């Protein structure tokens, strides 16, 4: 059985009521894919490409969070769009950056709830054989460095801490597949490395598939099993990091010299700061 099959997919976002052009006419978003078909593998797969190339949309479509205009998605032999919410969540979890929470419950209690109410039912072995942890919950708390925030409500956590909690949720719930949109936003580099190494081990040990989008190409080179490189025209290349992340293909995808793409997230942050400084008058003259 193929992990993921996209069959004759057509997709465009619906018009936003009141979103008008300069002539007062309704803006109609363009079609992103029309008659698109693909067969994609399981494993630890990274999606990379410039902003606007469709990474988030593809993750939402394939996990059943948004529906195509036409065509079908088959995920592990099931149509995620035809399932109820609980069935869909057990088939595919989805996490993204800047998720908002309104609960004042403490982080430790929420981790226990997710663990108890998902596929694991609060009982799963740690995946690493070093004997350091009695079960998956204690291992995940350690890996994602959550011991110090268990008594804190989610509303009191930093962005980086929230992202680490979300990673823990995705593991503890026990879905057959996990889709992650920029899951390591605001995390420090050592935390990203530790998390990616664990996710790669988790995929190998459990057979769970993880699809995640990343801006940091060097981390993708180091940890991904497969890479889906997406282009602004919505074409895609699939292969190992060595096969796909060539200078030629990266320059084609991003439209800039490959040397500028090193440490991509830091480059983006610095560029945004330069733009901000320019508009606030902080740029040196």
């Amino acid at each position: 059985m193929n992990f993921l099959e996209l069959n004759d997919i057509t997709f465009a976002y619906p018009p936003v009521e009141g979103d008008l052009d300069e002539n007062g006419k309704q803006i109609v978003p363009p079609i992103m894919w029309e008659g698109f078909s693909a067969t994609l593998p399981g494993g630890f797969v990274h999606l990379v490409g410039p902003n606007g190339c469709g990474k988030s949309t593809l993750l939402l479509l394939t996990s059943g969070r948004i529906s195509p205009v036409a065509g079908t998605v088959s995920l592990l032999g099931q149509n995620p769009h035809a399932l109820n919410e609980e069935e869909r969540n057990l088939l595919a979890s989805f996490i993204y950056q800047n998720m908002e929470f309104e609960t004042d419950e403490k982080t430790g209690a929420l981790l226990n709830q997710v663990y108890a109410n998902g596929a694991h039912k609060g009982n799963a072995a740690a995946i690493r054989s070093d004997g350091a942890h009695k079960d998956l919950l204690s291992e995940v708390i350690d890996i994602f460095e959550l011991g110090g925030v268990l008594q804190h409500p989610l509303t009191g956590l930093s962005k980086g801490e929230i992202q680490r909690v979300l990673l823990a949720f995705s593991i503890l719930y026990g879905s057959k597949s996990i889709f992650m949109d920029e899951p390591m936003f605001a995390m420090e580099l050592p935390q990203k490395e530790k998390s990616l190494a664990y996710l790669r081990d988790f995929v190998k040990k459990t057979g769970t598939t993880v699809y995640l989008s990343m801006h940091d190409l060097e981390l993708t080179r180091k940890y991904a099993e497969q890479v889906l490189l997406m282009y602004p025209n919505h074409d895609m290349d699939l292969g190992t990091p060595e096969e796909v992340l060539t200078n030629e293909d990266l320059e084609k995808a991003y439209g800039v010299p490959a040397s500028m793409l090193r440490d991509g997230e830091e480059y983006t942050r610095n560029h945004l700061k330069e733009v901000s400084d320019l508009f606030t008058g902080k740029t040196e003259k």
Side-chain angles (χ1 to χ4, degrees):
M1 179 192 302
N2 293 318
F3 169 69
L4 179 60
E5 294 182 358
L6 304 171
N7 304 297
D8 203 22
I9 294 292
T10 295
F11 179 81
Y13 284 102
V16 177
E17 185 176 354
D19 192 6
L20 309 177
D21 65 17
E22 59 185 10
N23 297 315
K25 294 183 178 181
Q26 175 70 55
I27 295 175
V28 179
I31 293 175
M32 296 184 66
W33 291 289
E34 187 169 13
F36 174 71
S37 297
T39 299
L40 300 175
F44 193 37
V45 182
H46 287 211
L47 278 64
V48 301
N51 289 335
C53 69
K55 298 188 298 294
S56 298
T57 301
L58 186 64
L59 290 170
L60 289 165
L61 269 173
T62 51
S63 63
R65 269 52 183 188
I66 58 177
S67 298
V69 175
T72 60
V73 175
S74 176
L75 177 61
L76 290 169
Q78 299 186 70
N79 178 359
H81 304 98
L83 303 176
N84 63 39
E85 184 177 6
E86 182 180 3
E87 292 170 337
R88 185 171 60 247
N89 288 338
L90 289 170
L91 178 65
S93 293
F94 191 95
I95 67 171
Y96 53 91
Q97 62 174 314
N98 291 327
M99 292 180 75
E100 296 183 357
F101 300 89
E102 297 181 357
T103 178
D104 289 325
E105 285 197 70
K106 293 180 180 179
T107 298
L110 291 171
L111 289 169
N112 277 288
Q113 287 177 27
V114 171
Y115 191 35
N117 294 326
H120 294 310
K121 302 303 180 186
N123 184 23
I127 66 159
R128 291 182 171 170
S129 57
D130 54 14
H133 301 285
K134 62 180 182 180
D135 68 355
L136 185 64
L137 177 61
S138 63
E139 182 176 64
V140 164
I141 289 172
D142 179 33
I143 292 296
F144 298 121
E145 301 178 12
L146 299 176
V149 302
L150 296 178
Q151 298 305 313
H152 299 172
L154 286 184
T155 51
L157 303 187
S158 70
K159 288 185 180 294
E161 289 168 341
I162 289 175
Q163 291 307 122
R164 301 202 310 272
V165 171
L166 292 175
L167 288 168
F169 283 168
S170 70
I171 296 295
L172 292 173
Y173 190 72
S175 303
K176 294 179 181 178
S177 58
I178 306 171
F179 293 79
M180 303 179 172
D181 192 8
E182 295 298 334
M184 295 174 194
F185 171 77
M187 289 170 56
E188 299 298 326
L189 180 59
Q191 295 169 338
K192 293 179 183 180
E193 296 247 16
K194 188 176 182 181
S195 299
L196 287 167
Y198 183 77
L199 288 172
R200 186 177 59 188
D201 287 350
F202 184 79
V203 168
K204 291 179 179 178
K205 296 288 179 62
T206 67
T208 306
T209 283
V210 173
Y211 268 57
L212 61 86
S213 64
M214 288 281 289
H215 275 306
D216 194 318
L217 295 175
E218 294 310 307
L219 290 179
T220 289
R221 290 182 196 277
K222 186 172 181 179
Y223 292 103
E225 293 179 346
Q226 295 280 302
V227 177
L228 190 64
L229 176 60
M230 301 180 65
Y231 296 88
N233 65 354
H234 307 304
D235 284 347
M236 306 175 195
D237 284 335
L238 175 69
T240 65
E242 294 77 17
E243 292 169 337
V244 173
L245 299 181
T246 66
N247 286 348
E248 180 181 359
D249 287 338
L250 289 173
E251 290 175 3
K252 178 183 173 184
Y254 287 87
V256 298
S259 59
M260 293 180 65
L261 297 172
R262 297 193 183 102
D263 302 319
E265 186 172 290
E266 188 62 34
Y267 171 79
T268 301
R269 289 177 179 172
N270 291 339
H271 178 68
L272 290 174
K273 183 178 185 302
E274 290 173 4
V275 173
S276 174
D277 288 348
L278 179 65
F279 280 94
T280 57
K282 294 180 181 179
T283 303
E284 295 183 4
K285 297 182 180 179

